[in-house]
Amino acid sequence: MLSIENLHVTVDGSPILKGLTLKMGPGEVHAIMGPNGSGKSTLSYAIAGRAGYTVTSGDILFNGDSVLDMGPDERAQAGLFLAFQYPVEIPGVRSRQFLRTSLNALRKARGEDEIAPGPFLRLLREKLALVQMDESFTKRDVNSGFSGGEKKRFEVLQMAMLEPSLCILDETDSGLDIDALRVVSAGVNALRNESRSMLVITHYQRLLDHIEPDFVHVLVNGRIARSGDKSLALDLEKRGYDWIIAGAAA
Amino acid sequence: MSYVIPTELGTPGCGTPRKQYVSVLRDIGLPTSRREDWRYTKLRGFDLSRFGQSDEVGSIDRTTLAQHVCRETAGQIVIVDGVFQPQLSVLPAQPGVRAEHASGEALQLPPIPSGELQSALFLAVNAALAPHLTRVTVAPKTRVEGPLELVWVSTSSGVTYGMHPLVQIQVGKHAEVTVVERFIGLGTHETLTNMRLDINVDDGAHVQHAKIQKEGAAAWHFATTIFHLGADTSARSNIVSLGAKTARNAIHVHFEKPGSEVWLDGLFVGQGQQSLDHYTVIDHKAPHCTSHELYKGVLQGQAIGSFLGRILMSEGAVKSATDQLCRALLLSQDAKANVKPQLEIDNDDVTASHGAAIGNLDADAMFYLQARGISVLEAQSLLIEAFTREVLQKLPCNLEEPILETVLARLA
Ligand SMILES: Nc1ncnc2c1ncn2[C@@H]1O[C@H](COP(=O)(O)OP(=O)(O)OP(=O)(O)O)[C@@H](O)[C@H]1O
Ligand SMILES: [Mg+2]
């Protein structure tokens, strides 16, 4: 599904990812943890294809093909989805129009017709219910004035609408209250299936109570310093990162 | 076919007043980019003497015309290649609404507003060369049903001509009217429009004015709109500048009596070598008046867009308020926007605010949209639409959607 090989990424000339290797199979859920500034969001942007995140060596293969020459839109059309750590407010663009434009862009890339207004509304309502969001949000401008938690729900709503094959969730749990965490996790879990893979970036074990990972990786200073199963997250919760950082430096 | 500016008298029968304008023109000369208020307007290659009166009128059929104008109006005046076309026009039928041309002795030239030397130059040319005065009168208490539409078409006939429309709209007490001006350029040859529009709004009346300027790619377009406002009036003006090689719109608002409110909105969308200029002067002479200005520009290629907004708050303007905002979006490296607010306030019992912002498309928003599978072009369209809506949504007569489509098509 996703194969990242010895990835080096610079941002504004500074090396941030320094030889990161990660392999994900279909249907797998991988968690990425790691201290602030270790490069987690950089990894997610590099996969999504953000300008300014320069891959200096290594490769990102998605379903066997390199995505490095693809624009962010083409990667999304190929089935990649990034739930942003900081969703962007876009005043003047209605959420509903945004969702329809996005869905139709993906359909067009697959050679399908645009979705008709009726089926679109039904799909929208179904997915709104999944993340327990009120329909009134779709009449507001994209993320504009949404609370932190509402923005995260809206990310999961988009994910549910677009049905990607690889979901990257960058701290989708940050800023959520306990109820919202439950709702968002349930929304994510509902999307889990044997072919859809998920890369879940988080600082907290509590999310992993809800979304159980198959693998846990610790990112330190631009590299995967340790990988394990879900018990690694529990260890981190107890012991912090120091022992891994010390091990990585050694 | 060239037109020599008359040195003695204007069109025969117009009487001596024209002499005065011709001499203004001779004494001051045409503006050049060296003058401060014309600094941004691209005037290179402009030569007034090249633009004579049209001696040949191209043809346009009703079907073509219908694609460019409002479907239902209260009256439609159509001018093709500078010549009034009675057979294409629809005179207002509603009682209390009248449209007429005055020429010869009946032509009373409006005075040139004092203190506005820059517009005065083109106004003088207009006064000297206008063939007639088009006067629309709305009787007191008349609520005009549907817009009054003034349509100027330049056909693809290739005829180089200059026209100097002189239009006066007289809105009686407590009357209400919407006026839509259209400039449609179907050709790509050089033409000149030099227009003067006076909108005189009597006490308690309400006016909405929209202007859609889509002149041809080689057109020169100069226009001055002057609002004279009585007591307790409202006036909304929305100018959309899309066409012409060089276009300059000047608006003068005179608050003559208390209690009026004005909205001046504008959108300019330029590409290639276009130069689109907006020059507004709001003269708060009377107390308790409010003015609002919102201008937005989208520029690509090497286009230049300018907004100069002068606000005068004299001693008499007590309890008046004004706010002004101009934002420009630059889509290319070589596009340029000039924004200059100019507040001259001689009264401490007023509120005034102004803001200006020139920027590029928001890179974060672009990435966010692309990360959802939306192509660069479509993402740009969405953001441009978002940017321009604020102005376009205030257009009357369901103009918002078709104009938005034109804007997006031009930038694509
Ligand atoms: N434009 C830039 N120039 C130089 N360094 C940058 C730039 N942008 C980001 N960085 C650095 O890259 C590093 C990795 O940032 P990143 O956002 O990937 O961290 P993160 O692991 O997601 O952190 P957090 O847990 O706080 O979200 C940080 O040290 C950050 O300061
Ligand atoms: Mg991060």
Side-chain angles (χ1 to χ4, degrees), chain B residues 398-410:
Chain B
N398 301 319
L399 285 169
E400 178 179 353
E401 291 307 325
I403 301 297
L404 177 68
E405 255 174 55
T406 312
V407 167
L408 295 179
R410 272 184 186 248

Side-chain angles (χ1 to χ4, degrees), chain B residues 241-245 267-276 278 296-305 329-332 335-336 407 410-411:
Chain B
S241 298
L242 303 172
K245 166 187 151 99
L267 174 69
F268 44 100
V269 178
Q271 65 244 297
Q273 306 273 340
Q274 277 184 287
S275 150
L276 304 173
H278 298 270
K296 285 193 168 185
V298 185
L299 302 161
Q300 69 179 22
Q302 286 139 279
I304 301 184
L329 193 55
L330 305 181
L331 300 181
S332 68
K336 201 167 164 232
V407 167
R410 272 184 186 248
L411 292 171

Side-chain angles (χ1 to χ4, degrees), chain B residues 22-61:
Chain B
V22 175
S23 67
V24 168
L25 185 61
R26 257 212 325 267
D27 295 347
I28 310 173
L30 279 176
T32 71
S33 311
R34 283 192 295 279
R35 292 174 199 268
E36 179 59 21
D37 290 338
W38 287 86
R39 210 150 66 95
Y40 304 122
T41 310
K42 279 195 193 161
L43 285 173
R44 229 170 83 193
F46 181 69
D47 177 3
L48 183 66
S49 67
R50 268 214 311 280
F51 302 99
Q53 227 164 17
S54 169
D55 49 14
E56 203 188 313
V57 175
S59 68
I60 179 169
D61 57 72

Side-chain angles (χ1 to χ4, degrees), chain B residues 297-301 327-337 357-366 379-380 383-384 387:
Chain B
V298 185
L299 302 161
Q300 69 179 22
R327 291 184 62 198
L329 193 55
L330 305 181
L331 300 181
S332 68
Q333 211 118 58
D334 295 330
K336 201 167 164 232
I358 300 169
N360 307 107
L361 281 176
D362 180 358
D364 288 342
M366 280 298 289
Q380 276 186 357
L383 295 183
I384 292 165
F387 180 79

Side-chain angles (χ1 to χ4, degrees), chain A residues 11-12 14 16 34-43 45 53 85-86 170-171 201 203 219:
Chain A
V11 182
D12 272 345
S14 321
I16 310 292
N36 293 128
S38 56
K40 303 182 297 297
S41 294
T42 303
L43 172 63
Y45 288 146
Y53 289 72
Q85 180 175 4
Y86 304 108
D170 191 356
E171 296 198 26
I201 298 170
H203 285 293
L219 186 57

